Amino acid sequence: MESAGGVDAMKDEKIPIAEIYVPAKRQATLNPETVEQLAAAILEEGQKAPIQVRHDGKRFVLVEGLHRLEACRALGEETIVGVRVQAKKF
């Protein structure tokens, strides 16, 4: 499935964690206990599901997967598996 920009919108890719912006509204939902549990699971089994991001032309913006992102960040990972999705149009 190709998007207008020619990027495969549903393909898993490694995304640099440092290039992912987390909106303040989404950061407010962060649960440190969940991050710890996910970090332990990722260490044991690897990342099971990709996060979802959209690209706004300058950076990646997190759409879904805050706890997975923060768990990987806590583990010292530099990249995370994610998929690019299109912004919702209202």
Side-chain angles (χ1 to χ4, degrees):
M1 172 187 294
E2 284 217 4
S3 69
V7 176
D8 188 346
M10 296 307 288
K11 184 179 174 193
D12 287 0
E13 62 181 289
K14 292 236 179 215
I15 300 169
I17 290 174
E19 294 180 19
I20 301 172
Y21 168 73
V22 180
K25 192 174 183 180
R26 189 162 297 282
Q27 280 182 340
T29 66
L30 187 64
N31 180 333
E33 201 171 284
T34 302
V35 171
E36 283 182 36
Q37 292 170 353
L38 270 172
I42 289 170
L43 264 180
E44 228 174 82
E45 307 162 15
Q47 184 184 342
K48 294 287 188 188
I51 64 168
Q52 294 179 10
V53 295
R54 64 181 174 79
H55 201 266
D56 69 359
K58 299 177 287 199
R59 62 188 175 187
F60 294 100
V61 178
L62 184 70
V63 174
E64 192 64 47
L66 175 64
H67 290 94
R68 282 168 279 169
L69 173 64
E70 294 304 326
C72 285
R73 190 186 318 265
L75 292 170
E77 298 291 335
E78 293 184 7
T79 60
I80 188 167
V81 177
V83 292
R84 292 187 200 204
V85 296
Q86 296 295 313
K88 291 182 183 174
K89 295 183 181 174
F90 295 96

